[in-house]
Amino acid sequence: MTPRAGMLIAAGALVAGTVTVLPAAPAGAGEPTPRPLPPLAWTGCATEAYPKLQCATLKVPLNHDDPAGRTVTLALTRVPHTAKTFQGPLLVNPGGPGGSGRGMAGYVAASLPPKVAAEYDVIGFDPRGVGKSEPALDCKPGHFAPVRPDSVPDGAASERLAVERAQSFAEACGKKYADVLPYIDTVSTARDMDAIRRALGAPKINYLGYSYGTYLGAVYARLHPDRVRRMALDSVVNPHGVWYEDNIAQDYAFDTRHKDFMAWVAKQDTVYKLGTDPAAVEAAWYRMRDALRAKPAGGKVGPGELEDTYLPGGYYNGYWPRLAKAFSAYVNDADAAPLTEAYERYGEADAAADNGYSVYTSVQCRDAGWPRDWSVWRKDSWDVHAKAPFSTWNNAWYNAPCAFWPVESLTPPDVTNDQVPPVLILQATDDAATPYEGGVALHRLMRGSSLVVEEGGGNHGVSLGGNDCLDEHLATYLATGEVPRAEGEAEVDAVCAALPEPKPEPMTRSVPARSESAGSALHGFLGHVR
């Protein structure tokens, strides 16, 4: 996912767009002739964790329909293959939009079985506008500096101020990047991926995408089904809801996942002493939220920052012990320090977050039509908030710049695909960021795909995160191209059991600064924690 907690996958009502970005049939013959690309100049950029890592840059057209025009620069990483058998490049993307993918190459290469990884050049990349790519967008530095106004409006005046804040961000993007914003979108990024393929000299790519990266992969496969060799998509964006409607689905799902966390805390009452009734524990959490409105913890954790801090727990339950400790310390001991520390770890925005959010809004607002009448947002947000109060308004404000975006919206592409080779889809049943229905929807749209489900799993991003069953399916697919197939009319092709829930951390013991679990490492790369 995107850098920092608040950067959700987002969503979008299919408000009428103005430009059809993909033809009814796969693109190819009518595209402008791309100019030749020089070979990539790889240089060593090894880290202690990834000693074989290499780096390169690639210039691509800002506007792919004008291949001789202005260029932007993409930053790439590679872990080269070492086996005699070479299966080509494996491009990896951690999601977002706005997530940096450079670090993913080393992680994926190290996490796959050595024999499988050795047969691929694992390629990470910062998409256009992101991280080390140039230009790197930063529309309004410090937009999330604490303490923000309470995300839930308490009247017309506070709502108006929040609307003006969102509008000012959109205006800042338009003034700073007027010439770039029309080309920060998913289709342009997918065409960048094809430029990477050409620069690598590969006739086809292999691809592993998480979260938003699943949508990016689906769009690439629609554009160039004949250039896809293998494609694994983990935690799938629902292509029917790009992007406003997916956000609404997310609001409900994150509220449910927050309740799952409250129930887990209640089961650990001997440790956290917040009660054994999940509803009572949840009520205590909302009382904490109310108290922070009057007195922000550490002078910087108000209600909005509290939501930012606890939202990562909806992505990955490995964060629950530390979040529970902070919750308990605040409620039972009037100790705000652990809460402030948790915010600094999980919710606080830094320069990378400012960049990620700038790209996030640029892609989401450009990709699809959003309601331009604020009264639509207001009604929808209050209706959803009444049933799912945990993060509905926080998410609304996060996406609100799209109501005022200075660039006209495109029409989302139809990613239906009956020409791509078998695609492996991996999906947890209780994923909050990309609810289960998205995996099923894409499975139906991509003929011949295989759906592998983590039954009862609530984490977002499930392969290479510690579940051996899922990892075996992924490794087998990358090694052989084989996917599991259901018998008869069953829609799900294979089922893996979810990992056990985390164990509580005693209040007297410090939670390690960074867990060494595979899940924690994966979610660090997906952008939920520094």
Side-chain angles (χ1 to χ4, degrees), residues 280-323:
V281 174
E282 185 178 21
W285 192 89
Y286 281 102
R287 287 195 299 272
M288 175 173 67
R289 187 189 187 283
D290 291 340
L292 293 170
R293 184 186 300 110
K295 185 180 179 181
K300 59 181 180 180
V301 185
E305 289 76 24
L306 182 74
E307 291 160 348
D308 293 349
T309 302
Y310 280 79
L311 193 64
Y315 287 95
Y316 175 54
N317 62 10
Y319 302 147
W320 286 1
R322 173 170 285 216
L323 294 173

Side-chain angles (χ1 to χ4, degrees), residues 138-509:
D138 191 349
C139 295
K140 194 173 183 182
H143 181 69
F144 289 98
V147 174
R148 306 195 308 275
D150 189 345
S151 58
V152 181
D154 63 359
S158 63
E159 181 181 341
R160 183 172 60 253
L161 288 174
V163 168
E164 291 172 353
R165 182 174 176 273
Q167 188 171 10
S168 71
F169 184 88
E171 291 172 351
C173 286
K175 290 177 181 178
K176 202 168 183 178
Y177 301 111
D179 54 343
V180 174
L181 291 185
Y183 310 105
I184 306 296
D185 61 88
T186 298
V187 171
S188 294
T189 302
R191 296 175 77 176
D192 288 345
M193 286 172 53
D194 203 55
I196 294 172
R197 177 196 61 80
R198 291 191 294 113
L200 293 169
K204 298 183 178 184
I205 66 167
N206 307 280
Y207 180 76
L208 170 61
Y210 292 84
S211 193
Y212 163 78
T214 65
Y215 183 62
L216 176 61
V219 170
Y220 181 86
R222 172 66 178 186
L223 282 168
H224 303 297
D226 57 323
R227 300 172 194 171
V228 174
R229 183 173 179 270
R230 290 173 192 161
M231 179 172 285
L233 306 177
D234 183 325
S235 303
V236 176
V237 168
N238 190 334
H240 296 311
V242 175
W243 288 114
Y244 185 84
E245 289 176 349
D246 279 351
N247 258 317
I248 291 175
Q250 240 187 16
D251 293 338
Y252 288 111
F254 269 106
D255 192 82
T256 297
R257 194 62 181 151
H258 186 64
K259 286 179 168 61
D260 291 342
F261 171 47
M262 298 292 101
W264 179 84
V265 172
K267 286 193 293 186
Q268 315 300 336
D269 181 57
T270 57
V271 177
Y272 301 117
K273 302 187 184 308
L274 288 163
T276 59
D277 177 8
V281 174
E282 185 178 21
W285 192 89
Y286 281 102
R287 287 195 299 272
M288 175 173 67
R289 187 189 187 283
D290 291 340
L292 293 170
R293 184 186 300 110
K295 185 180 179 181
K300 59 181 180 180
V301 185
E305 289 76 24
L306 182 74
E307 291 160 348
D308 293 349
T309 302
Y310 280 79
L311 193 64
Y315 287 95
Y316 175 54
N317 62 10
Y319 302 147
W320 286 1
R322 173 170 285 216
L323 294 173
K325 283 188 67 172
F327 179 17
S328 176
Y330 185 90
V331 171
N332 292 323
D333 303 324
D335 182 2
L339 188 60
T340 304
E341 293 169 4
Y343 165 70
E344 291 168 350
R345 177 165 173 75
Y346 299 119
E348 189 171 32
D350 55 14
D354 287 341
N355 166 239
Y357 181 62
S358 297
V359 176
Y360 171 93
T361 48
S362 297
V363 171
Q364 302 263 333
C365 301
R366 176 64 167 154
D367 263 4
W370 293 73
R372 293 285 182 159
D373 181 350
W374 181 253
S375 66
V376 175
W377 295 68
R378 178 190 300 114
K379 181 182 184 305
D380 287 347
S381 296
W382 280 121
D383 287 349
V384 178
H385 174 84
K387 301 175 182 177
F390 169 58
S391 62
T392 294
W393 271 106
N394 191 311
N395 197 22
W397 297 124
Y398 196 81
N399 292 280
C402 292
F404 312 102
W405 203 245
V407 181
E408 198 171 31
S409 295
L410 303 170
T411 296
D414 176 5
V415 296
T416 302
N417 204 319
D418 60 3
Q419 301 182 56
V420 72
V423 171
L424 181 67
I425 296 174
L426 304 126
Q427 183 71 43
T429 57
D430 299 333
D431 182 357
T434 52
Y436 178 72
E437 291 77 13
V440 173
L442 190 63
H443 178 43
R444 292 171 178 171
L445 291 174
M446 301 188 97
R447 192 178 72 177
S449 63
S450 176
L451 177 60
V452 178
V453 170
E454 186 183 45
E455 183 67 38
N459 291 335
H460 176 68
V462 292
S463 63
L464 305 184
N467 188 316
D468 292 341
C469 174
L470 292 166
D471 291 352
E472 184 175 348
H473 282 294
L474 176 62
T476 298
Y477 175 65
L478 292 177
T480 68
E482 295 179 6
V483 296
R485 292 297 183 194
E487 296 182 2
E489 300 297 321
E491 187 154 47
V492 174
D493 294 286
V495 176
C496 294
L499 294 174
E501 288 186 333
K503 295 180 180 180
E505 285 282 349
M507 294 295 293
T508 55
R509 185 192 307 168

